[in-house]
Amino acid sequence: MKLEDAKLKYIHTWGSLATNWGINKTMAQVHALLLVSTKPLSADDIMETLKISRGNVNMNVRALIDWGIVNKEFVVGERKEFFVAGKDIWELFKQVTKERKKREIEPVLKVLEDLKNDVEDNSEEAEDFKKMMGDLSSVTTTVNGILDKAIKADEHWLLSNFTKMIKK
Amino acid sequence: MKLEDAKLKYIHTWGSLATNWGINKTMAQVHALLLVSTKPLSADDIMETLKISRGNVNMNVRALIDWGIVNKEFVVGERKEFFVAGKDIWELFKQVTKERKKREIEPVLKVLEDLKNDVEDNSEEAEDFKKMMGDLSSVTTTVNGILDKAIKADEHWLLSNFTKMIKK
DNA sequence: TTTTATTTTCAGAAATTATTGAAAGTTTAA
DNA sequence: TTAAACTTTCAATAATTTCTGAAAATAAAA
């Protein structure tokens, strides 16, 4: 396969995979495009390659910037804005994990904590419910903690420590 | 707050959280309902509590069974089917992780591997692309491996090993 | 058998989410 | 200043996903 075809295939495959896990197709494609691009791209470049509207490009690029995985970049002699995606995949993983933690895990913990505290009742059934909320909280907290370590870790550090750990 | 209200609040909150991370609202609600229920529920029970149609209950209950987190259960003297959700949250976490690995991570690895192999070109740019696919693969594989360990682990084992590990 | 209870399916309707495109807003250059 | 280049916004529309409800299929009881 020719390089350009492989790049396009990657971009489109990434987009359809993304929809399987609740991520907007276009957003995934824009990121994939920037990831395999050798130079910063303008909104026009993205519009043309992905055949999408200016508004759509703008929205999704801003969302990616908001996730901290795409940056604006100035190009000498050009007035318009250009965009780049960081090429370090471990950094990308850490950034996405950090955001998902903030957006998806932490709100869950808050809700569970509140629910546990709000039940006045002291029946056995109420105690069971509180235990259930507590268990959900506790597993979520454990996962959250693990992800925290991963975010702070260096790829090799994490890998080698894991290897050590699992051999015990 | 009264116990029944807290349960309903949990069920509805869980549903709306689920939509934030790409999971069908009703599916999350049905699971939450079964989780906090003290007894097996029939399709009619679920329809009534969540105010949804029979078809919708059927579809989502089957999806939950497919995910391995809800089971059919027979109730003596009753002809219809009843459903229960496992109450062990650590087991639930492991099961969900296992399925997500299979549905979301493994197909990604396949795609990346294929793309890397399909590029004939040997230009520097092509090598960069292959490296990028390789990096994506490698991080995904690492994460996949970590999740594998988590799936096989006992909650306390994992927690204590992590604690040990992060203190290094 | 035949009848009755229950589950499943699936076409159409409803709800939700994503996209367009043009107008409004902003920034830079002349 | 004013004009041109560019970005952002957002109402209307399109696409996608979810849900309903009734009919078909299946299973148990009579």
Side-chain angles (χ1 to χ4, degrees):
Chain A
M1 199 191 298
K2 288 277 171 19
L3 180 59
E4 285 314 305
D5 295 335
K7 285 188 177 184
L8 286 176
K9 188 175 165 201
Y10 166 64
I11 291 164
H12 287 100
T13 310
W14 212 244
S16 59
L17 284 170
T19 62
N20 292 339
W21 14 296
I23 289 167
N24 180 293
K25 184 184 82 176
T26 305
M27 187 167 152
Q29 287 184 339
V30 172
H31 184 258
L33 170 59
L34 291 171
L35 201 61
V36 296
S37 169
T38 51
K39 55 183 206 311
L41 300 182
S42 68
D44 291 281
D45 296 333
I46 298 171
M47 283 169 71
E48 198 181 338
T49 310
L50 302 182
K51 310 272 186 283
I52 57 177
S53 72
R54 188 174 300 284
N56 200 3
V57 168
N58 189 270
M59 276 196 37
N60 284 294
V61 164
R62 275 188 308 111
L64 288 165
I65 291 174
D66 205 48
W67 271 79
I69 58 177
V70 160
N71 290 105
K72 286 189 186 181
E73 195 162 291
F74 292 99
V75 170
V76 287
E78 287 276 13
R79 188 159 146 188
K80 51 186 163 183
E81 294 179 320
F82 287 77
F83 306 98
V84 291
K87 309 291 177 185
D88 181 333
I89 302 302
W90 182 250
E91 276 305 319
L92 170 65
F93 166 75
K94 291 204 283 186
Q95 185 59 33
V96 169
T97 301
K98 193 168 144 191
E99 287 293 323
R100 293 190 80 127
K101 238 173 66 71
K102 190 168 81 193
R103 296 170 193 225
E104 298 170 3
I105 298 185
E106 278 151 28
V108 167
L109 283 176
K110 177 80 177 64
V111 166
L112 294 172
E113 219 41 57
D114 288 354
L115 277 169
K116 204 167 77 175
N117 297 331
D118 284 0
V119 179
E120 306 142 354
D121 204 328
N122 274 94
S123 61
E124 190 180 346
E125 198 190 335
E127 293 307 322
D128 286 349
F129 177 76
K130 288 182 202 172
K131 173 163 190 318
M132 180 60 75
M133 297 299 108
D135 287 352
L136 283 165
S137 239
S138 137
V139 169
T140 311
T141 303
T142 301
V143 171
N144 209 30
I146 292 173
L147 294 180
D148 256 340
K149 302 312 161 195
I151 290 169
K152 283 169 195 144
D154 166 76
E155 181 175 10
H156 299 103
W157 182 89
L158 186 71
L159 246 180
S160 64
N161 273 275
F162 249 102
T163 311
K164 223 178 286 168
M165 175 179 145
I166 66 184
K167 278 191 179 149
K168 281 230 185 75
Chain B
M1 198 191 297
K2 288 276 172 20
L3 179 59
E4 285 314 305
D5 295 337
K7 285 189 175 182
L8 286 175
K9 188 175 166 201
Y10 166 63
I11 290 164
H12 287 98
T13 310
W14 211 244
S16 59
L17 284 170
T19 62
N20 292 338
W21 16 296
I23 291 169
N24 179 293
K25 185 183 82 178
T26 305
M27 187 169 153
Q29 287 185 340
V30 172
H31 183 258
L33 171 59
L34 292 172
L35 201 62
V36 297
S37 169
T38 52
K39 54 183 204 313
L41 300 181
S42 69
D44 291 282
D45 295 333
I46 299 170
M47 284 170 71
E48 197 182 341
T49 311
L50 302 182
K51 310 268 184 288
I52 58 177
S53 73
R54 188 174 300 282
N56 199 4
V57 169
N58 189 271
M59 277 194 35
N60 284 294
V61 163
R62 274 188 309 112
L64 288 165
I65 290 174
D66 205 48
W67 271 81
I69 58 177
V70 160
N71 290 104
K72 285 189 186 181
E73 196 163 292
F74 292 99
V75 169
V76 287
E78 287 276 11
R79 189 159 145 189
K80 51 186 160 182
E81 293 179 319
F82 286 77
F83 306 97
V84 291
K87 308 292 179 187
D88 181 333
I89 301 304
W90 181 249
E91 275 306 318
L92 171 65
F93 166 75
K94 290 204 284 187
Q95 186 59 33
V96 169
T97 302
K98 194 166 143 191
E99 286 294 324
R100 294 190 80 128
K101 237 173 67 70
K102 188 168 82 193
R103 295 170 193 225
E104 298 171 4
I105 297 185
E106 278 151 27
V108 166
L109 283 175
K110 178 79 177 66
V111 166
L112 294 172
E113 220 41 58
D114 288 354
L115 277 168
K116 204 168 77 174
N117 297 332
D118 284 359
V119 179
E120 306 141 354
D121 203 328
N122 273 93
S123 61
E124 191 181 343
E125 199 190 334
E127 294 306 321
D128 285 350
F129 176 76
K130 290 181 202 170
K131 174 167 190 312
M132 179 62 72
M133 297 300 106
D135 287 353
L136 284 165
S137 239
S138 138
V139 168
T140 310
T141 303
T142 300
V143 171
N144 210 29
I146 291 172
L147 294 180
D148 257 339
K149 301 312 162 197
I151 289 168
K152 284 168 195 143
D154 167 76
E155 180 174 10
H156 299 103
W157 182 89
L158 187 72
L159 245 179
S160 66
N161 274 276
F162 249 104
T163 311
K164 224 178 285 169
M165 175 180 145
I166 65 184
K167 277 191 180 149
K168 279 230 183 77

